[in-house]
Amino acid sequence: MSDFLRRIQLWLAKAARGELHDAAQPLEPLFFGSAAALIVPRTALAASESPSELAGFRLAENERMIVTRLVEPGRSETPAFVVLALRAGPQGMGRLRQAPATLEALGAHLRDCGIDLVAVLRDRIGHWAGLGSEAVRRLNAHLALVVAFPIAGADGKTADDLRAFITHENAGDIGVALGILSRNDSAVGSRKAYLKILMPPAECRLPASPIEPADVHIAFDRSAGATVSGQDAPDARPAVMIGAGSLGSQLAISLAREGRYRWTVVDNDVLLPHNLARHALYPIDAGVPKALGLARRLELLLGDAAVPVATDILAPSGDLRPLLEEKLSGAEIIIDASASVAVSRHLSALTDANGRRLSLFFNPAGTALVLLAEDTGRTVTLQDLEAQYHRMVQTQDRLASHLKILAQGLRYSGSCRAVTNRIPAARAAQLSAIAAQAVADAVSRDEAEVRIWTIEDDMTVSLTREPGAQPVRKQMGEWNISYGPQVAADIAALRAAQLPRETGGILLGIIDTSRRTLQVVCALAEPADSSGTVTGFERGVSGLAATVREAAARSLHQIRYIGEWHSHPAGSSTRPSPTDIRQIFWLTAELENEGLPALMMIAGDGGALSVILAGKGLVGPESGS
């Protein structure tokens, strides 16, 4: 008892000194809480000459909760409520009181707050009178008066106390009680209509009609998502999501819940029952195009339009091509969640769009998430980052099994191609949540980056990351050759380790014949049976075939043998010698059956590196460093 009395004493002392409310405590409202509650879209509270018409209903599971939404133009439904939004003058904190129980009592309270409720109702209700269908719907709806009471604390901090007061009578009957309307007793129009009285009384009194107070909850929208997630303001930049599958759907929904982006969703697939194991959509969406289903969910969350484009981005249908091109050209952020190498390369090469591009995908086992993020200036593209990612997989021991397929796929129909990965929903959700944070973080910074998050057996998450490296690019005939700075550094280090003799090895990389690109990913050291002297080098073959097979398997066969490299001795140029020329002819003969050029790189002093590409229409070395 003594402890309880001591706490009361401290409470009274703080109240006397004005210290009762700490900085984190919300300001006290004007009225005690109400049993009923009204959920109202934020747009319904915006100041406007015309009222916001809401279709409202009481939930069957909770009759005290009234859910409302804006009546859409052209719909014939009768709104249960017409909302009038009012703002009172600033109020100081005082004792909590009971909310007004009648329209007359509410008018008296609002008069003290600077609102003439009689004038407001006369103006609004009188304006709605008439025989038209809109007038009939409005005047047969209940009034929901939503009042914002700005509450000011002693420290100057203010907050709105939103309160709703719902009339038991409809708006037309209140107009009759005010003396400005009469019921339609004529034989013209609806018997539910109300007509404006031509000579209303000069003074009106509010009727003592009962009203029901209700707490107000603002419906979830972009602003609410941004505020709750801790952002200073919503992020409404236009974004295009390519791929509305497991990752894309959960990623977009999470970002939308944070108030992020104005969405366009591109996907040519349909939601099938097996997708529901990991998808953000629900059984009610089965059979619906994924782009359409996801766009609807995003639109409901954010309160503004999301655009579905149900087509294949690699081969868009003719009627949707203009819309797709428009959205891509206007996007500031383009997110590839398709898990398609072809789509990622297509977006990387797309010239009719300026938006920054990001690619995210799960590894085959569903134990890791990969993010490839371009820089804001797009000096490092998705295709450059793809090569850098594969280099990380080839050279880092922790990623040795990163692309290994650990379990057989699940066939979900009779088609031989109808196979899906076996990834638990919880793990897909965990990686998708990381993906949402990764996107928000990546687009907040200017730099390019490769990140790989891996879920370990004990549920911890490890991160492997590298800043995006701008490659050296060379145009040689129809082919574009590129290699990262680490490839050049590796070749220089391998050369230095064998000086004064020459050395060399093979090059592994990515070839895209459709785009005529050749990316060097790795330069391997000389095989054990190689022979090098101060004046020459002969590359051996011991274990080489197995090494290439292992590298290809480790990359899911995205990288392959693409050419040779060797060094010249100290003091020599990197121009090809007669022996080098003979070798390039041999390489050309070996690769021309596959329609590929022969690539050779020659390393010299100071990091000098010459690139030679031979084949049909290709001649001569191109030097670089």
Side-chain angles (χ1 to χ4, degrees):
M1 177 61 72
S2 60
D3 181 61
F4 179 67
L5 291 174
R6 175 60 178 163
R7 293 175 69 181
I8 292 176
Q9 182 184 24
L10 289 173
W11 185 87
L12 291 172
K14 284 188 175 183
R17 295 195 299 266
E19 300 173 355
L20 192 59
H21 290 79
D22 62 33
Q25 185 173 351
L27 299 176
E28 296 287 2
L30 287 178
F31 306 112
F32 287 105
S34 305
L38 188 72
I39 298 177
V40 182
R42 191 184 307 272
T43 51
L45 304 180
S48 174
E49 291 296 325
S50 59
S52 297
E53 296 184 33
L54 302 181
F57 56 91
R58 295 182 186 270
L59 294 179
E61 300 84 357
N62 178 9
E63 292 186 353
R64 307 302 295 174
M65 180 65 72
I66 302 166
V67 179
T68 69
R69 61 177 174 78
L70 290 168
V71 173
E72 298 177 9
R75 296 186 67 164
S76 60
E77 61 187 335
T78 300
F81 303 97
V82 176
V83 173
L84 296 181
L86 306 173
R87 174 166 287 275
Q91 310 288 303
M93 280 198 302
R95 291 182 301 170
L96 288 173
R97 66 201 80 172
Q98 295 294 337
T102 67
L103 200 57
E104 182 181 33
L106 176 62
H109 180 81
L110 293 182
R111 190 182 308 116
D112 296 336
C113 301
I115 297 175
D116 185 347
L117 187 57
V118 172
V120 170
L121 294 182
R122 283 183 62 136
D123 176 65
R124 294 293 181 90
I125 294 176
H127 181 70
W128 300 338
L131 297 174
S133 58
E134 289 189 6
V136 172
R137 287 200 299 269
R138 284 172 174 168
L139 292 173
N140 280 273
H142 294 277
L143 283 177
L145 302 171
V146 180
V147 186
F149 295 97
I151 308 298
D155 59 355
K157 182 174 66 173
T158 62
D160 282 348
D161 178 24
L162 284 174
R163 295 289 164 165
F165 303 92
I166 301 169
T167 63
H168 287 197
E169 297 174 333
N170 62 31
D173 287 345
I174 292 172
V176 171
L178 287 170
I180 61 172
L181 298 181
S182 66
R183 292 182 180 86
N184 181 26
D185 295 327
S186 71
V188 180
S190 171
R191 299 289 294 176
K192 293 184 178 181
Y194 293 82
L195 302 176
K196 192 171 186 179
I197 293 178
L198 296 179
M199 298 291 291
E203 294 186 6
C204 298
R205 290 177 58 86
L206 289 167
S209 304
I211 58 175
E212 181 180 5
D215 290 338
V216 177
H217 301 279
I218 304 299
F220 187 87
D221 59 9
R222 183 185 300 281
S223 295
T227 300
V228 172
S229 63
Q231 299 179 73
D232 294 332
D235 187 346
R237 284 179 287 179
V240 174
M241 168 71 77
I242 314 295
S246 172
L247 173 59
S249 65
Q250 296 193 60
L251 167 61
I253 291 292
S254 293
L255 290 170
R257 290 185 189 279
E258 296 178 2
R260 297 185 192 274
Y261 313 144
R262 288 188 287 113
W263 291 95
T264 296
V265 183
V266 182
D267 195 298
N268 69 328
D269 202 3
V270 171
L271 187 75
L272 295 177
H274 76 278
N275 296 137
L276 297 170
R278 297 187 294 265
H279 209 278
L281 297 182
Y282 294 92
I284 194 173
D285 301 303
V288 173
K290 291 178 180 177
L292 178 59
L294 181 56
R296 285 173 177 171
R297 300 289 171 181
L298 296 171
E299 195 166 299
L300 287 171
L301 275 172
L302 294 172
D304 55 23
V307 179
V309 185
T311 193
D312 183 351
I313 190 171
L314 298 177
S317 58
D319 57 332
L320 291 175
R321 183 185 294 272
L323 176 61
L324 176 62
E325 292 175 351
E326 174 194 342
K327 293 302 179 181
L328 286 170
S329 65
E332 293 186 37
I333 302 165
I334 300 174
I335 303 171
D336 170 29
S338 66
S340 165
V341 172
V343 169
S344 177
R345 293 178 185 174
H346 171 77
L347 292 174
S348 181
L350 195 63
T351 57
D352 295 333
N354 297 316
R356 188 175 182 185
R357 281 140 238 211
L358 301 91
S359 180
L360 300 102
F361 53 92
F362 298 154
N363 70 334
T367 58
L369 168 76
V370 180
L371 166 70
L372 311 179
E374 296 181 347
D375 60 305
T376 52
R378 301 201 66 232
T379 59
V380 183
T381 68
L382 286 183
Q383 194 163 5
D384 300 328
L385 294 167
E386 178 193 354
Q388 186 173 345
Y389 159 68
H390 277 294
R391 175 184 170 76
M392 293 169 67
V393 172
Q394 292 294 321
T395 59
Q396 298 191 26
D397 291 341
R398 68 168 66 184
L399 300 177
S401 300
H402 171 73
L403 289 176
K404 187 176 181 180
I405 299 175
L406 301 181
Q408 286 187 334
L410 173 69
R411 180 168 288 115
Y412 57 83
S413 78
S415 169
C416 63
R417 299 183 64 187
V419 178
T420 187
N421 290 342
R422 297 175 184 265
I423 302 174
R427 198 187 305 153
Q430 183 179 4
L431 292 172
S432 298
I434 294 172
Q437 292 178 294
V439 168
D441 179 62
V443 299
S444 70
R445 296 177 294 105
D446 295 337
E447 301 79 17
E449 194 167 27
V450 178
R451 294 194 193 187
I452 305 171
W453 291 267
T454 304
I455 301 177
E456 309 295 348
D457 292 339
D458 62 357
M459 302 300 176
T460 58
V461 179
S462 62
L463 172 61
T464 305
R465 64 193 297 181
E466 282 187 6
Q470 185 171 351
V472 176
R473 297 187 177 91
K474 298 181 181 296
Q475 178 76 40
M476 305 185 74
E478 295 181 348
W479 287 85
N480 293 288
I481 318 300
S482 65
Y483 57 91
Q486 193 57 52
V487 171
D490 287 349
I491 291 176
L494 290 170
R495 174 181 182 268
Q498 298 297 334
L499 285 175
R501 72 181 187 88
E502 295 186 12
T503 184
I506 67 168
L507 299 170
L508 301 177
I510 301 171
I511 296 178
D512 187 336
T513 55
S514 63
R515 292 182 174 82
R516 290 292 193 264
T517 60
L518 196 157
Q519 296 169 278
V520 183
V521 172
C522 295
L524 301 188
E526 62 180 43
D529 60 339
S530 300
S531 175
T533 67
V534 176
T535 59
F537 172 74
E538 183 177 343
R539 188 216 355 114
V541 297
S542 176
L544 198 56
T547 299
V548 173
R549 285 196 300 270
E550 180 184 350
R554 190 161 170 167
S555 70
L556 273 184
H557 300 278
Q558 291 300 307
I559 70 171
R560 53 159 293 164
Y561 169 83
I562 60 171
E564 303 277 338
W565 76 271
H566 68 275
S567 67
H568 280 182
S572 300
S573 76
T574 57
R575 294 186 63 82
S577 66
T579 302
D580 296 336
I581 294 173
R582 287 194 296 272
Q583 185 184 34
I584 200 70
F585 281 136
W586 172 81
L587 274 176
T588 302
E590 289 290 311
L591 295 174
E592 67 180 358
N593 290 334
E594 299 181 57
L596 302 178
L599 175 67
M600 177 184 289
M601 302 179 82
I602 304 174
D605 292 339
L609 194 59
S610 285
V611 178
I612 303 168
L613 198 67
K616 292 182 178 179
L618 294 169
V619 293
E622 178 78 19
S623 296
S625 60

